[in-house]
């Protein structure tokens, strides 16, 4: 069974903290993504990676960075957490090939910044 | 860049009634089109996708969607709603480029009345 696993379901962090969200996939996928989900806004792409050590900015990269040192792992980093980063974060992966390939999602991490 | 519009943020239907969720995209070139479902406290799961060929696409759980190029639409339907269909539904598109990014609509929450 294909799996994308996010390390935490719920996180509470303080303003100014450095926050790491971890995502691991076991499907040997080339592509990995971080999305942010907010009510009424759908999912917005923060960053994506199409290969180890490669990254591309999505639509809302400000305040975030990413790391992909191994093919199966893609980390999202909030350099200095702020209350406006309180949200649901979803990791996804897909195989390379064509743009019609299915993306597989993790269960999400609900982050609250206080 | 692609954009996706889902008409109606909330839809309420009676059990056994038709479910119709509307999705329109903006693109001069037909993109790849997807519908994802998110059950409470879970990640997203693919319902169905349109790539090329037959414009009526059948998915899981009795859902289907029809691609209409002239209307730039990809509406999702299910003839008879079940209580288990209560969830949030997202329409998404990707273009024919090679970066495999999905652009999502804002989502439609479906509630099913007994």
């Amino acid at each position: 069974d294909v799996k994308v696993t996010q390390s935490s379901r719920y996180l509470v962090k303080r303003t100014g903290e450095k926050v790491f969200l971890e995502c691991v996939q076991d499907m040997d996928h080339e592509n990995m993504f971080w999305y942010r989900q907010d009510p009424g806004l759908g999912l917005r792409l923060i960053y994506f990676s199409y290969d180890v050590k490669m990254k591309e900015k999505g639509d809302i990269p400000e305040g975030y960075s990413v790391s992909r040192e191994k093919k199966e792992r893609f980390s999202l980093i909030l350099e200095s957490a702020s209350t406006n980063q309180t949200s649901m974060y979803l990791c996804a992966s897909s195989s390379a090939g064509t743009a019609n390939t299915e993306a597989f999602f993790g269960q999400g991490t609900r982050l609250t910044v206080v | 860049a692609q954009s996706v519009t889902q008409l109606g943020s909330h839809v309420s239907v009676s059990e056994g009634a038709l479910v119709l969720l509307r999705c329109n995209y903006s693109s001069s070139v037909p993109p790849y089109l997807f519908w994802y479902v998110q059950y409470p406290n879970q990640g997203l799961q693919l319902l169905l996708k349109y790539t090329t060929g037959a414009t009526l696409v059948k998915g899981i759980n009795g859902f289907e969607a029809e691609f209409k190029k002239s209307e730039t639409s990809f509406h999702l339907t299910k003839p008879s709603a079940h209580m288990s269909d209560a969830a949030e539904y997202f329409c998404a598109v990707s273009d024919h480029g090679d970066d495999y990014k999905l652009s999502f609509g804002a989502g439609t929450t479906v509630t099913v009345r007994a």
Side-chain angles (χ1 to χ4, degrees):
Chain A
D1 200 17
V2 295
K3 214 152 187 169
V4 178
T5 303
Q6 294 183 230
S7 54
S8 304
R9 292 295 303 274
Y10 300 94
L11 275 179
V12 180
K13 296 292 182 180
R14 295 193 179 278
T15 301
E17 275 192 77
K18 191 169 185 176
V19 181
F20 294 84
L21 303 184
E22 307 286 346
C23 175
V24 177
Q25 51 98 0
D26 65 0
M27 296 164 281
D28 201 36
H29 283 165
E30 291 78 10
N31 305 321
M32 295 190 75
F33 308 84
W34 276 106
Y35 288 90
R36 172 176 169 159
Q37 181 181 7
D38 298 290
L41 297 177
L43 278 72
R44 293 178 291 167
L45 182 64
I46 304 172
Y47 269 96
F48 71 102
S49 168
Y50 52 88
D51 200 353
V52 176
K53 297 191 185 296
M54 306 301 290
K55 61 184 179 184
E56 294 283 344
K57 292 181 180 179
D59 300 316
I60 52 166
E62 297 77 19
Y64 303 94
S65 62
V66 290
S67 172
R68 193 168 180 200
E69 297 295 320
K70 294 184 177 181
K71 189 175 184 180
E72 67 270 19
R73 187 180 296 270
F74 192 35
S75 302
L76 179 69
I77 303 156
L78 285 66
E79 299 290 344
S80 178
S82 64
T83 55
N84 63 12
Q85 293 178 309
T86 291
S87 186
M88 170 72 89
Y89 292 87
L90 290 166
C91 176
S93 71
S94 68
S95 61
T98 65
N100 65 359
T101 185
E102 176 184 355
F104 293 87
F105 285 81
Q107 300 242 49
T109 296
R110 187 167 295 282
L111 173 67
T112 302
V113 183
V114 297
Chain B
Q2 304 282 357
S3 71
V4 180
T5 302
Q6 291 183 239
L7 294 176
S9 59
H10 289 87
V11 168
S12 179
V13 298
S14 298
E15 194 173 19
L18 171 72
V19 179
L20 170 60
L21 305 182
R22 300 178 187 275
C23 173
N24 290 86
Y25 65 91
S26 67
S27 173
S28 59
V29 177
Y32 298 122
L33 296 156
F34 306 79
W35 275 100
Y36 282 85
V37 60
Q38 184 180 34
Y39 298 105
N41 298 316
Q42 294 188 25
L44 276 69
Q45 176 183 355
L46 182 70
L47 269 180
L48 50 80
K49 67 179 181 182
Y50 169 78
T51 55
T52 58
T55 56
L56 183 63
V57 180
K58 295 188 184 299
I60 63 172
N61 301 337
F63 284 92
E64 61 183 35
E66 186 172 11
F67 168 61
K68 291 187 176 180
K69 182 179 177 180
S70 60
E71 299 177 7
T72 62
S73 69
F74 190 55
H75 301 332
L76 181 72
T77 59
K78 182 174 180 177
S80 178
H82 191 271
M83 299 298 288
S84 60
D85 295 325
E88 189 163 18
Y89 293 80
F90 293 94
C91 182
V93 302
S94 68
D95 63 25
H96 289 238
D98 59 2
D99 57 10
Y100 314 114
K101 292 185 294 184
L102 287 169
S103 297
F104 285 86
T108 299
T109 299
V110 172
T111 57
V112 183
R113 305 184 304 271

